Amino acid sequence: MLFRFRRILLAFLAGGLVGAGLALLYTPVSGREARERIGGLAEDLKKKTEAWTGDVKQKVEGFIDEERAVIKSAYEAGREAMAKEKARFENPNPQ
């Protein structure tokens, strides 16, 4: 699921870059002004991407923590059940 999400994100970002580049190429401005615009767009994109990836990282870490807690509780329940069955097997008539 995470791999699919990354592919979608990469496609989205690549599309945005291509679109921004084409818009700059077809806008009638001087070379210096075009370079400044490209630099500004690149900086804005970098800031937005860093903020967005930070949010995604926090969500993924939260998801991993939740799953870790579920797995730990399932493991503990399994250990308890195994200990009960082992005790029952070792002492078939506890009287």
Side-chain angles (χ1 to χ4, degrees):
M1 183 171 136
L2 186 59
F3 178 71
R4 185 178 189 190
F5 180 73
R6 286 182 181 174
R7 286 179 41 200
I8 292 171
L9 173 64
L10 183 62
F12 178 76
L13 291 175
L17 288 173
V18 169
L22 287 174
L24 287 173
L25 289 174
Y26 285 103
T27 304
V29 293
S30 69
R32 180 182 201 150
E33 191 174 342
R35 286 190 298 275
E36 289 173 1
R37 285 185 183 182
I38 290 171
L41 278 173
E43 189 65 34
D44 289 344
L45 183 61
K46 180 181 176 185
K47 288 178 184 176
K48 288 178 183 179
T49 302
E50 287 173 351
W52 193 77
T53 54
D55 292 343
V56 170
K57 182 179 177 184
Q58 288 178 345
K59 289 178 183 179
V60 168
E61 287 174 350
F63 175 76
I64 289 171
D65 290 342
E66 289 174 15
E67 293 302 312
R68 187 176 288 139
V70 168
I71 291 169
K72 184 177 180 180
S73 66
Y75 175 76
E76 292 298 325
R79 286 187 66 150
E80 289 175 18
M82 187 177 86
K84 286 179 184 178
E85 288 300 313
K86 184 178 178 183
R88 193 171 64 119
F89 179 73
E90 290 174 351
N91 301 320
N93 295 323
Q95 292 181 10

